[in-house]
Amino acid sequence: MDDYNKEKTIVIGHKNPDTDSICSAICYANLKAALTGKDFQPGRAGQVNEETQFVLNYFGVEAPQLIEHVKTEVRDIEIRKIKGVNRNISLKKAWNTMQEANAVTLPAVTEDNVLEGLITVSDIAQSYMNVYDSSILSKANTQYSNMIETLEGALVVGDENAYFDKGKVLIAAANPDMMEFYINKNDLVILGNRYESQLCAIEMNAACIVVCMDAKVSRTIRKLAQEHNCNIIVTPHDTFTVARMINQSMPISHFMKEENLITFKLTEKTDDIKGIMGQKRYRDFPILDMEGNYIGMISRRNLLNLRKKQVILVDHNEASQTVDGIEHADILEIIDHHRIGTLETLEPVFFRNQPLGCTATIICQM
């Protein structure tokens, strides 16, 4: 049932189908489609026998798709198509993406849509509230492009694709003669337009200096920065704002959950996943296709809007002969020529039963 479309109605005969059961399903699905303009899918609840296969081959008609059950599955739920993101995007970008999508969980995926991890609103909130040491930015292996985007700045010297992976973050609030005692190699220094402070940070082999308030950076400072492999970022924000915002540039990979992820496949039955979803505190659960690639998210709330599969039964009306899981489906019609059996429906349905040689004759009359 890999190509099953939940908008289709399945027209299906009994288990161990004979020629009448198969042909009736094909013909009635086509008749209903022609009359209504909607999608109807012929199905079979068992293997095609040799006689029926001969008939199908003679008329050049394909056998209906094998329907193993009509229980509701994950793909019958409305799946939210929340687009996956790269694991290196900043916390700020992840937050903005969540707000735009009205989502509380964001999946990190590879270029091939393989799920790598999940970041939640709670994870981002904790990253803001927790007190980290001044080296958290480098421990998170933060890319300079993230800092530029977060600080709404521009790279004057350096490589935006490089990573800040060593050192601490500090503010150059003291005189240059004092700065020499607390700036170490590979540090990131937030400062203003003071030439002496910029020069000191570069000479102390800082990995990057962030110049606030869109202050001009002299040619001499730029040249020295290049010689010392020091990146220079210029931002319009003041020192306080930069100090407050810069941790938002850390990649989500440092905070997202990567292990023991709870995911569901499209073909998993909803009865099986309800218990798992109820036991976990997560708001959203990733859905994977048959190849294991990420396609979207569902939540417990989505189960409330679950749409049962719609089914039309032909050539039988006995519960023991129906496709598995019929109790989980909505039976819309029954077309048959056998005795009235034990099948029950939740609501009144169209039921046509005539004492003729085969169901196909009834459908021909219709």
Side-chain angles (χ1 to χ4, degrees):
M1 294 179 65
D2 292 350
D3 61 349
Y4 169 73
N5 185 321
K6 66 181 178 182
E7 297 302 323
K8 288 183 178 179
T9 298
I10 302 171
V11 182
I12 190 168
H14 52 76
K15 294 178 180 178
N16 302 314
D18 54 13
T19 302
D20 186 26
S21 178
I22 295 293
C23 292
S24 294
I26 295 172
C27 295
Y28 198 53
N30 280 273
L31 176 62
K32 291 293 291 185
L35 292 174
T36 66
K38 297 180 180 180
D39 289 329
F40 290 82
Q41 172 192 354
R44 56 187 171 90
Q47 298 301 319
V48 176
N49 62 40
E50 291 184 7
E51 175 196 276
T52 305
Q53 191 61 58
F54 174 83
V55 173
L56 295 175
N57 291 342
Y58 182 84
F59 289 101
V61 177
E62 291 187 6
Q65 185 177 3
L66 176 63
I67 307 295
E68 296 180 352
H69 66 84
V70 288
K71 295 179 180 179
T72 51
E73 299 172 318
V74 169
R75 57 185 163 190
D76 298 308
I77 303 173
E78 183 180 354
I79 299 174
R80 295 189 64 189
K81 304 293 184 178
I82 299 175
K83 188 176 180 181
V85 298
N86 187 286
R87 63 183 292 127
N88 287 324
I89 69 166
S90 66
L91 291 170
K92 181 182 180 182
K93 187 172 183 179
W95 175 266
N96 291 338
T97 302
M98 288 179 180
Q99 299 306 299
E100 292 170 2
N102 191 27
V104 296
T105 307
L106 206 58
V109 300
T110 65
E111 292 182 357
D112 297 327
N113 250 16
V114 176
L115 184 68
E116 291 188 297
L118 297 173
I119 185 83
T120 67
V121 168
S122 176
D123 295 329
I124 296 178
Q126 288 182 20
S127 75
Y128 291 159
M129 297 304 295
N130 289 342
V131 178
Y132 296 111
D133 61 48
S134 57
S135 62
I136 182 63
L137 207 67
S138 62
K139 289 178 180 177
N141 200 31
T142 305
Q143 199 166 19
Y144 286 111
S145 59
N146 279 11
M147 298 184 202
I148 296 166
E149 181 183 51
T150 301
L151 300 177
E152 299 172 338
L155 188 69
V156 175
V157 175
D159 179 10
E160 68 175 18
N161 294 319
Y163 291 84
F164 179 60
D165 54 6
K166 298 176 183 177
K168 62 184 181 298
V169 177
L170 52 91
I171 299 174
N175 293 326
D177 56 343
M178 291 187 62
M179 287 171 53
E180 294 179 0
F181 294 102
Y182 62 86
I183 296 180
N184 296 317
K185 183 179 180 181
N186 299 318
D187 285 349
L188 183 147
V189 184
I190 302 170
L191 38 69
N193 64 343
R194 293 182 62 182
Y195 177 88
E196 298 84 358
S197 298
Q198 297 172 2
L199 179 61
C200 177
I202 294 171
E203 289 182 339
M204 296 300 293
N205 292 311
C208 178
I209 62 173
V210 179
V211 181
C212 302
M213 302 297 292
D214 272 338
K216 299 296 182 182
V217 179
S218 68
R219 290 183 180 179
T220 303
I221 291 296
R222 295 186 188 191
K223 183 179 179 181
L224 286 171
Q226 289 176 340
E227 293 174 354
H228 286 75
N229 295 318
C230 178
N231 296 275
I232 299 179
I233 297 174
V234 176
T235 173
H237 298 294
D238 57 44
T239 306
F240 170 77
T241 303
V242 170
R244 182 174 57 87
M245 292 177 60
I246 198 164
N247 275 5
Q248 297 177 24
S249 66
M250 289 186 289
I252 62 173
S253 58
H254 191 70
F255 301 93
M256 70 185 187
K257 179 180 175 60
E258 297 182 75
E259 298 179 355
N260 301 317
L261 298 177
I262 299 175
T263 63
F264 301 121
K265 292 285 186 68
L266 281 173
T267 53
E268 290 193 60
K269 300 173 183 62
T270 54
D271 282 349
D272 295 336
I273 72 169
K274 282 180 181 178
I276 299 174
M277 295 176 73
Q279 293 172 3
K280 303 299 179 180
R281 61 178 181 84
Y282 309 127
R283 292 275 298 275
D284 298 291
F285 298 83
I287 304 303
L288 310 180
D289 63 17
M290 302 311 295
E291 285 72 44
N293 298 321
Y294 167 81
I295 58 172
M297 308 285 287
I298 63 170
S299 66
R300 286 187 289 268
R301 184 176 57 186
N302 294 129
L303 290 177
L304 299 176
N305 300 321
L306 179 63
R307 183 179 183 273
K308 293 182 178 180
K309 292 178 181 177
Q310 297 184 315
V311 179
I312 293 176
L313 303 181
V314 296
D315 200 34
H316 71 294
N317 68 92
E318 295 272 2
S320 61
Q321 296 178 355
T322 58
V323 62
D324 290 343
I326 194 66
E327 67 276 9
H328 299 282
D330 284 334
I331 301 175
L332 304 183
E333 300 182 25
I334 302 174
I335 313 296
D336 192 20
H337 71 118
H338 295 101
R339 70 185 180 93
I340 306 238
T342 58
L343 193 65
E344 295 182 357
T345 62
L346 294 176
E347 299 177 357
V349 300
F350 179 83
F351 191 159
R352 181 160 177 166
N353 186 287
Q354 293 179 244
L356 299 174
C358 62
T359 301
T361 302
I362 301 174
I363 295 172
C364 182
Q365 291 178 352
M366 295 173 73

